Amino acid sequence: MKHIRRISLWFCLPGLYLSLSAQQIVQGTVRSENEKTPVERVVVRLSVRGQMKAYALTNEKGEYELHLPADPGHPPVLSFEHLSYEKVEQEIVPRSQTRDVWLREKAIQIREITVSAPQIRLKGDTLSYRLSAFTGKGDVSLEDAIKKLPGMEITPAGAIQYMGKNIDRFYIEGLNMLGGKYSLATRSLPATSVSEVEIIENHQQIRQQQDRIQSEDVVVNIKLTQKAKLKPFGTSDAALGYAEEGWLYHLRFTAMVFSPRFQTISTARTGNYRPSSERELVNHSGHTGIPNKAFSLLDISSMGSSAPPVREDRYQSIQDKMISANTIHKLSENASLKLNVEYAYLRNQHAYSTQSTYYTNEGNVIVTEESHPLVKTHRPEISLDYILNDSALYLRNHLLAKTRFDKNHLDVQKNAQRIGQYREAHQVDISNKLEVKNASESISGISPPTCNTTPLRAAGSFFPTLRPDRERASPRPPPDIPSTPGKRPVSY
């Protein structure tokens, strides 16, 4: 019985050998036709009359191997497919063989798709507006665009309000370069250069106090487009017109640079039909340095003179000039140095006359009054601000030097009586404020001696003298108070 089993096993092994040796194998390598390099993950299929019988994927060397069916009945078809190459099909004979293939690259037409970011996104205390979703062709500046954002407003003075509350700070890419004078940016930055406007509520600017003291400050952060951060750019506008009183003009140019560690905005403007420099240089945060009560009590611009009942731009002759240069440099991750320099000049003049007739039994009484007010203002200012703001220490040193020179002439003639007034005031403020805060204690307001002075000189006299140091016999305005060029005195 054992002998029979050995004979049976002896005959089964040759049968298994014959079955394996009869199986056909197709193998080869797939390469790129242009680069002659192996192509990985090519789908290789073996089909008979449209039905797939075997398939394989090429490896990193471009190699593949397939087993042919024992009796296909019809000639097999070998196909090679890859997304980046043209399809190749070859009819083969049913036997073992090597098939190397070269594939030709093809261009792929990808369907166009549009990806739209949400118009408004809320994450924690930060609300982000995608600016392009709210602006149109008529929105030129950032100020124009902000007026379109829900919950945000721009006051006539240029202050930004969110939910009826003035914002506390204005950042551009996380840097506070302009302080409260952010109208220089909102009226200069093109709306197309801004990608997002972020509203950050409960913002604690001092990192050392972020986990200890709750803040109610509201901050605006401007996110720029990639194009605006690649290279310097600028904006300009000009206007020219002619009216009965003469030529009117306006010129304005702004240069800007925004990089991760450095920002600057410089603006120069001049014009003669409206006082614009004071409107752009207004400090919306209200921090103006040393409070000067003496100067605030002196209304140097009006001199108490009357004005005609028409709009100021209809009778005033104005010369307005302004230069502003602002820059901030990020010294390290938590330290920055900021420099702001500005100068503004305003000359405002007009002529105004009235005539009143009183009817009496003894005849008519005619009273005439003519005035020639003239105001000149020079306002240079420079500030240097160093801030170190990390989790262990907050240190800020703010150096401010600002001056103001005002001169006012008022020449009034009432019938035959002439009154001349002259007044000038000079304001000089120099201050330095050092503020230090750490985890255990807070020391603020450490300042070296400050300088604040407001000398005042005023004079008044009757005809024929307008100023104490200048006599005049002519009833016309004095030499340094020329008649309004190109504008007629307003009378009625």
Side-chain angles (χ1 to χ4, degrees):
M1 200 65 184
K2 293 182 180 178
H3 181 69
I4 295 175
R5 287 181 181 175
R6 288 178 182 175
I7 295 175
S8 175
L9 182 61
W10 177 264
F11 283 102
C12 285
L13 287 174
L16 180 62
Y17 171 77
L18 292 173
S19 175
L20 291 174
S21 63
Q23 195 169 24
Q24 309 296 324
I25 297 175
V26 179
Q27 60 185 2
T29 304
V30 180
R31 291 184 174 87
S32 171
E33 186 178 72
N34 296 332
E35 300 178 0
K36 312 300 183 184
T37 55
V39 182
E40 185 181 2
R41 302 192 68 80
V42 177
V43 179
V44 185
R45 291 188 178 93
L46 181 69
S47 304
V48 178
R49 301 192 68 179
Q51 294 184 356
M52 188 178 66
K53 299 300 183 179
Y55 79 93
L57 290 176
T58 59
N59 58 21
E60 65 275 5
K61 297 180 180 181
E63 299 171 341
Y64 73 95
E65 180 178 296
L66 289 172
H67 297 276
L68 288 171
D71 185 14
H74 293 273
V77 176
L78 202 61
S79 65
F80 302 85
E81 296 180 59
H82 192 281
L83 184 63
S84 302
Y85 298 88
E86 295 181 359
K87 182 179 178 181
V88 173
E89 289 185 344
Q90 297 178 351
E91 186 177 295
I92 62 173
V93 295
R95 60 179 175 80
S96 296
Q97 57 191 290
T98 299
R99 283 274 178 171
D100 295 331
V101 177
W102 284 263
L103 301 182
R104 180 179 299 173
E105 294 182 357
K106 69 176 180 179
I108 302 174
Q109 185 69 30
I110 300 176
R111 288 189 307 166
E112 181 179 352
I113 61 173
T114 302
V115 180
S116 299
Q119 297 181 357
I120 301 177
R121 186 176 68 256
L122 179 63
K123 184 178 180 181
D125 291 331
T126 302
L127 182 67
S128 300
Y129 296 95
R130 182 167 57 88
L131 199 63
S132 60
F134 299 91
T135 56
K137 293 182 179 179
D139 301 317
V140 179
S141 66
L142 176 59
E143 184 179 77
D144 298 331
I146 288 179
K147 295 177 182 178
K148 301 289 186 68
L149 302 182
M152 299 190 69
E153 296 180 1
I154 301 287
T155 68
I160 301 176
Q161 292 184 340
Y162 177 68
M163 296 299 181
K165 178 182 181 298
N166 283 1
I167 66 169
D168 295 279
R169 276 171 295 281
F170 180 90
Y171 295 157
I172 301 177
E173 291 290 339
L175 296 179
N176 186 7
M177 174 174 55
L178 299 171
K181 299 182 180 181
Y182 51 78
S183 290
L184 290 166
T186 58
R187 291 168 179 158
S188 300
L189 266 174
T192 55
S193 298
V194 179
S195 60
E196 289 187 351
V197 175
E198 294 182 341
I199 305 296
I200 307 174
E201 298 186 79
N202 306 317
H203 176 72
Q204 175 58 264
Q205 66 163 338
I206 302 177
R207 296 180 181 178
Q208 183 265 331
Q209 297 181 348
Q210 285 179 353
D211 298 330
R212 301 189 300 111
I213 300 178
Q214 183 70 23
S215 173
E216 297 182 357
D217 290 353
V218 178
V219 172
V220 168
N221 183 43
I222 302 301
K223 305 287 286 186
L224 302 175
T225 62
Q226 289 299 323
K227 183 179 179 181
K229 295 185 288 187
L230 288 177
K231 58 183 179 179
F233 67 100
T235 59
S236 62
D237 59 90
L240 180 66
Y242 184 81
E244 182 181 357
E245 59 271 16
W247 289 98
L248 302 176
Y249 68 93
H250 160 77
L251 297 172
R252 186 175 188 274
F253 178 77
T254 301
M256 291 167 274
V257 177
F258 300 100
S259 68
R261 305 190 68 85
F262 177 79
Q263 294 181 4
T264 181
I265 293 182
S266 298
T267 301
R269 66 173 302 150
T270 182
N272 69 343
Y273 69 94
R274 61 183 179 185
S276 302
S277 61
E278 291 189 355
R279 182 170 175 261
E280 288 204 9
L281 295 177
V282 63
N283 193 329
H284 300 298
S285 65
H287 304 305
T288 57
I290 303 175
N292 193 328
K293 295 183 179 180
F295 207 88
S296 62
L297 295 174
L298 176 62
D299 188 5
I300 192 70
S301 60
S302 66
M303 287 286 293
S305 61
S306 57
V310 293
R311 293 202 322 262
E312 292 183 351
D313 58 347
R314 300 297 301 273
Y315 63 87
Q316 288 184 338
S317 177
I318 293 172
Q319 292 183 14
D320 182 52
K321 297 178 175 61
M322 183 267 287
I323 297 176
S324 175
N326 309 272
T327 181
I328 186 169
H329 182 60
K330 197 171 181 180
L331 304 176
S332 64
E333 183 63 27
N334 300 318
S336 63
L337 183 65
K338 178 174 66 172
L339 176 65
N340 305 94
V341 181
E342 66 183 49
Y343 169 76
Y345 168 76
L346 177 63
R347 185 183 188 276
N348 194 345
Q349 176 188 6
H350 69 273
Y352 172 50
S353 63
T354 61
Q355 178 176 304
S356 303
T357 302
Y358 300 92
Y359 300 96
T360 66
N361 295 331
E362 299 179 356
N364 297 338
V365 177
I366 299 176
V367 178
T368 61
E369 181 176 338
E370 182 178 349
S371 61
H372 299 266
L374 171 64
V375 176
K376 297 179 182 179
T377 303
H378 300 265
R379 293 192 299 110
E381 181 176 326
I382 181 172
S383 66
L384 185 64
D385 207 355
Y386 171 79
I387 297 179
L388 174 62
N389 187 9
D390 58 31
S391 57
L393 177 67
Y394 174 80
L395 185 148
R396 180 188 180 189
N397 191 82
H398 180 64
L399 175 64
L400 173 66
K402 58 183 295 185
T403 60
R404 177 171 174 174
F405 305 96
D406 281 332
K407 292 184 179 181
N408 190 303
H409 304 263
L410 180 59
D411 185 26
V412 179
Q413 179 173 340
K414 190 171 185 178
N415 290 347
Q417 188 180 44
R418 194 172 192 83
I419 302 174
Q421 300 180 65
Y422 169 78
R423 185 166 60 184
E424 68 178 65
H426 299 166
Q427 176 190 11
V428 179
D429 288 347
I430 301 176
S431 64
N432 188 85
K433 182 179 181 180
L434 176 63
E435 188 176 3
V436 180
K437 297 179 184 294
N438 55 31
S440 59
E441 58 182 343
S442 173
I443 307 173
S444 61
I446 304 176
S447 304
T450 60
C451 173
N452 180 283
T453 177
T454 308
L456 171 66
R457 185 159 66 97
S461 62
F462 294 96
F463 181 81
T465 303
L466 176 67
R467 291 173 53 177
D469 58 346
R470 181 174 297 175
E471 291 192 354
R472 181 199 56 200
S474 171
R476 294 179 178 274
D480 59 343
I481 314 179
S483 298
T484 307
K487 289 195 177 184
R488 300 177 181 177
V490 179
S491 61
Y492 62 95

